[in-house]
Amino acid sequence: MSAVLSREVLDRMLAGVEKPARYTGAEWNSVVKPWEGARVRMVLAFPDVYEIGMSNLGLMVLYDLVNAREDMLAERTYAPWPDMAAAMRAQGVPLYSLESRRPLTDFDVVGFSLGYELNFTTVLEMLDLAGLPLLASERDDTMPLVIAGGSACYNPEPMADFFDLVVIGDGEEALLELGELYRDFGRSPVAEPGSRAHRARFLRAAATLAGVYVPELYRPRYDETGCYQGLEAVAPEAPDRVTARVVRPLPPPPTRPVVPYLETVHDRAMVEVRRGCGRGCRFCQAGIIYRPVRERPVAEVEEAAARIIASTGYDELGLLSLSTCDYRPIEQLLERLIARFGEEVAISLPSLRLDSFSVKLADMVQRRRRTGLTFAPEAGTQRLRDVINKNVTEDNLREAAEAAFSHGWQRIKLYFMVGLPTETDEDVEGIARLAREVLAIGRRHHGRRARVSVSVSTFIPKPHTPFQWAPLVSDDDLERRQGILRRGMRGQGLELAWHDVRATYVEALLARGDRRLGPVIRRAWELGARFDPWEEHFRPEAWRRALKETGVDGDRFARNGYDMGQALPWDHVDTGVRRSFLERECRRALGAERTPDCFEACSACGVSGRYGVACWE
């Protein structure tokens, strides 16, 4: 076992880095369990900076569940910011957990929460800081298992070289089952450096657990042109397809979350009120992979909120879901929370539906602070909104804007995408037109104080969606459409923000690729790529060089579309949604045909039969 990081050495490093509270641990409600009393020791790793990771509710849920077990413990680690990483390397200090300040090599399992493709290189940075080999094939019986879960794992192939196993779907039950299997399997009785025999036996056993994918038990096949042909299982324990785990009902929410010493992105109490979304937006990966919809009872949310506030001292409560306004008893819940907490606790709704009902809900909870409302029309014309199955109209937007401005809000933010399938220049001109119309409504109520912010991202065709076969928009089309927006959005009161298109290309590459991207990711990291979601750290040149040096055609994955009959790198991941449903939805999109919400009519996506649930009840 390695040495615990001493306070003296830690203090010496912290004296020279930004925001040292990121690295001290000992926060309120953090859990430090007796090391020797646990038979399975996990460290939950988040591949981004502390302030982002501490806002991740999923990691906090797993931390709470594992530490509730007498025979297991879970600690946390986050990606050190470059200044701290440099200090650690200079001092020869390996990446450590915040609770016990033990190096990651002391743990049985290092579990990464992977929700975003642009965090892939930061995973390698953390493994390197930990002193662990990057490649799973180079880790032996003396080393911890390196596993991952999260939405970015629904196409695990680009990171297949680096993880021992991947959990597909909800992690609450699967992680505990893995812990129990590890406990029963026991650590290697010999643990000789270089030996992988014990590890290989464990991974074969783990592959039999539902939702567990072990990359080394599969081999990819390609044809003579390099076209991907599918995965082939090379062990009897490996299923042909790995079905995503779904927990039902949702486990109780954590009520003693760790309270950070410094401000984080979402520095508030959080309760997940609903998981999944039945609206069926065709661009939305989360709307597919988190099916079926599951809602918490009002009483459970209220009680959890009260316990969290009592245990943390927070005066703000976030009600989380993909679309909180779609939580069916939302009005009842808000009435009970307001009656219970009054003005002592502010309630936030992180996502608003595009209608006047949502403004009514916002009016209930934002009585003191009217900081602004955000809506997501996504597309500039009704035709394109029908293509993407965004079942809202321009009348919905006008009514929502009228309701918001007339009730005192002076600022509205609108989210749009460009590069959507079938998009034309006219659709993009519609974005500017809508923004000007919304601003005109605002000026009737607030004059020149009214503001409309438009945030535009580039559509990325993500796996497991009806648009998974579509290509990424070309640079020429994107540049022309950016020009349309810039010209159309001039004038006081309008603000336009645009996401970095170079990062969009890398995100598309990593989301849609296969195992041939493993060497690209590693080479990009060697060339300095890490913290790719951060504009000041994103290095497009590193990615260009990595693609060139590894001989991988990035456009094959990022720019080009897939044929509908072609094998896809993520075909072995089963979300419960049938491929035939996605194909049907893709064809309906091309005809601008809309599909109803799951709660209006079942569209036979397959989830109901796969998981034995009536989604609409």
Side-chain angles (χ1 to χ4, degrees):
M1 184 178 297
S2 309
V4 173
L5 174 62
S6 72
R7 187 73 211 191
E8 181 184 7
V9 173
L10 178 61
D11 287 348
R12 194 161 56 236
M13 291 191 298
L14 296 185
V17 303
E18 178 186 354
K19 297 184 180 181
R22 290 168 170 165
Y23 313 108
T24 57
E27 307 99 318
W28 184 256
N29 289 338
S30 60
V31 179
V32 183
K33 297 179 75 171
W35 185 260
E36 298 301 334
R39 295 180 62 188
V40 182
R41 299 147 185 158
M42 303 185 188
V43 58
L44 304 179
F46 195 87
D48 208 324
V49 73
Y50 177 89
E51 295 94 309
I52 304 291
M54 280 293 290
S55 302
N56 185 279
L57 182 59
L59 188 138
M60 202 56 66
V61 167
L62 297 178
Y63 181 79
D64 183 70
L65 284 172
V66 174
N67 280 323
R69 295 287 300 259
E70 289 187 5
D71 54 350
M72 300 182 193
L73 67 77
E75 302 191 357
R76 297 162 297 137
T77 190
Y78 304 91
W81 200 240
D83 59 350
M84 182 61 171
M88 292 169 68
R89 287 190 168 103
Q91 294 285 331
V93 173
L95 185 60
Y96 59 91
S97 69
L98 291 183
E99 280 77 3
S100 65
R101 296 203 302 274
R102 292 178 182 276
L104 267 55
T105 49
D106 278 4
F107 289 82
D108 300 311
V109 177
V110 179
F112 281 92
S113 176
L114 205 53
Y116 190 26
E117 293 84 357
L118 290 182
N119 288 133
F120 286 177
T121 53
T122 309
V123 170
L124 304 196
E125 171 74 350
M126 294 176 74
L127 291 176
D128 185 67
L129 281 168
L132 287 166
L134 302 185
L135 297 176
S137 60
E138 294 179 356
R139 294 193 286 267
D140 62 27
D141 289 344
T142 67
M143 300 172 187
L145 292 166
V146 178
I147 72 175
S151 58
C153 294
Y154 279 76
N155 174 17
E157 293 312 286
M159 291 292 282
D161 290 347
F162 310 112
F163 292 126
D164 295 299
L165 65 85
V166 175
V167 174
I168 308 293
D170 295 333
E172 291 98 328
E173 295 173 348
L175 185 62
L176 295 180
E177 290 171 14
L178 272 170
E180 290 168 357
L181 179 66
Y182 190 92
R183 177 200 62 200
D184 297 341
F185 221 78
R187 298 185 180 94
S188 172
V190 180
E192 293 180 357
S195 172
R196 296 189 78 251
H198 187 78
R199 191 181 199 88
R201 285 194 295 274
F202 174 82
L203 290 174
R204 284 178 177 245
T208 65
L209 296 177
V212 172
Y213 172 59
V214 180
E216 73 176 34
L217 302 185
Y218 298 82
R219 295 287 179 268
R221 293 182 287 108
Y222 307 97
D223 67 12
E224 62 280 3
T225 68
C227 184
Y228 178 79
Q229 298 295 299
L231 281 185
E232 177 184 3
V234 295
E237 296 87 351
D240 292 335
R241 301 191 76 202
V242 178
T243 302
R245 295 294 295 265
V246 167
V247 292
R248 190 172 59 92
L250 296 176
T255 54
R256 294 187 62 84
V258 178
V259 182
Y261 285 127
L262 73 166
E263 186 176 0
T264 57
V265 174
H266 299 303
D267 199 7
R268 62 193 179 204
M270 296 184 284
V271 180
E272 181 186 32
V273 299
R274 189 183 206 244
R275 191 175 299 179
C277 177
R279 288 192 163 265
C281 297
R282 293 173 177 133
F283 60 85
C284 181
Q285 186 188 50
I288 295 291
I289 64 177
Y290 291 121
R291 290 187 179 199
V293 175
R294 290 145 286 168
E295 295 182 332
R296 291 191 193 280
V298 167
E300 183 180 329
V301 176
E302 181 186 356
E303 184 58 27
R307 293 178 66 185
I308 294 171
I309 289 165
S311 68
T312 62
Y314 278 123
D315 61 1
E316 183 178 354
L317 170 66
L319 302 175
L320 306 188
S321 81
L322 291 172
S323 178
T324 301
C325 292
D326 287 333
Y327 175 66
R328 286 173 290 175
I330 184 65
E331 282 189 277
Q332 180 192 0
L333 173 62
L334 293 180
E335 288 168 355
R336 288 178 62 163
L337 292 174
I338 292 169
R340 183 157 185 167
F341 301 120
E343 295 193 351
E344 294 180 0
V345 176
I347 300 170
S348 66
L349 302 173
S351 53
L352 287 182
R353 204 167 64 197
L354 184 53
D355 56 22
S356 54
F357 173 72
S358 295
V359 179
K360 175 187 173 184
L361 298 179
D363 194 40
M364 292 174 67
V365 301
Q366 290 192 18
R367 293 184 178 278
R368 289 179 298 173
R369 291 184 303 161
R370 294 187 184 274
T371 54
L373 294 181
T374 300
F375 300 105
E378 312 287 4
T381 62
Q382 192 59 50
R383 184 200 68 81
L384 192 53
R385 284 191 292 277
D386 291 343
V387 167
I388 65 176
N389 206 43
K390 185 78 179 182
N391 288 320
V392 296
T393 66
E394 292 186 12
D395 284 344
N396 294 141
L397 176 58
R398 295 188 190 101
E399 290 167 5
E402 181 67 38
F405 286 126
S406 66
H407 281 74
W409 278 277
Q410 296 180 2
R411 183 186 189 91
I412 285 181
K413 187 171 186 178
L414 302 175
Y415 279 122
F416 291 95
M417 287 184 289
V418 294
L420 289 160
T422 79
E423 183 181 77
T424 66
D425 290 356
E426 182 182 359
D427 296 312
V428 181
E429 290 165 357
I431 294 175
R433 176 181 52 78
L434 279 179
R436 290 194 300 271
E437 287 185 21
V438 171
L439 179 63
I441 295 171
R443 286 194 164 166
R444 280 198 284 106
H445 294 277
H446 303 290
R448 291 186 174 274
R449 289 173 297 171
R451 291 284 184 276
V452 176
S453 301
V454 173
S455 178
V456 180
S457 60
T458 305
F459 164 70
I460 295 175
K462 289 288 181 87
H464 303 290
T465 68
F467 290 156
Q468 64 182 353
W469 297 279
L472 182 69
V473 65
S474 70
D475 285 340
D476 290 343
D477 284 342
L478 196 55
E479 186 175 344
R480 187 177 68 258
R481 287 166 187 170
Q482 285 177 330
I484 292 171
L485 285 175
R486 281 193 294 269
R487 290 189 295 275
M489 293 286 294
R490 289 172 182 159
Q492 186 179 16
L494 290 173
E495 300 165 358
L496 175 64
W498 194 278
H499 292 186
D500 188 333
V501 297
R502 299 168 302 176
T504 298
Y505 181 87
V506 174
E507 183 181 344
L509 177 76
L510 299 178
R512 297 164 59 78
D514 60 32
R515 291 194 183 190
R516 286 172 287 191
L517 285 182
V520 178
I521 296 167
R522 178 172 183 164
R523 184 61 186 141
W525 168 77
E526 290 170 345
L527 292 167
R530 59 213 62 179
F531 289 108
D532 288 315
W534 295 78
E535 188 174 345
E536 66 268 39
H537 291 293
F538 179 65
R539 299 188 178 183
E541 181 56 30
W543 285 101
R544 279 194 289 269
R545 278 189 58 189
L547 285 166
K548 183 177 181 180
E549 292 178 12
T550 55
V552 172
D553 177 8
D555 284 357
R556 176 194 285 266
F557 304 111
R559 196 69 76 187
N560 300 343
Y562 287 105
D563 294 334
M564 199 167 275
Q566 189 175 345
L568 300 172
W570 50 89
D571 274 348
H572 58 292
V573 173
D574 179 6
T575 65
V577 174
R578 287 192 289 261
R579 182 170 175 142
S580 59
F581 170 80
L582 299 179
E583 292 173 350
R584 187 172 76 223
E585 280 297 285
C586 184
R587 287 191 290 270
R588 290 174 66 84
L590 297 178
E593 295 181 65
R594 292 189 289 180
T595 297
D597 186 303
C598 295
F599 291 95
E600 296 175 17
C602 177
S603 300
C605 72
V607 162
S608 177
R610 174 57 56 93
Y611 294 108
V613 296
C615 312
W616 50 90
E617 290 179 351

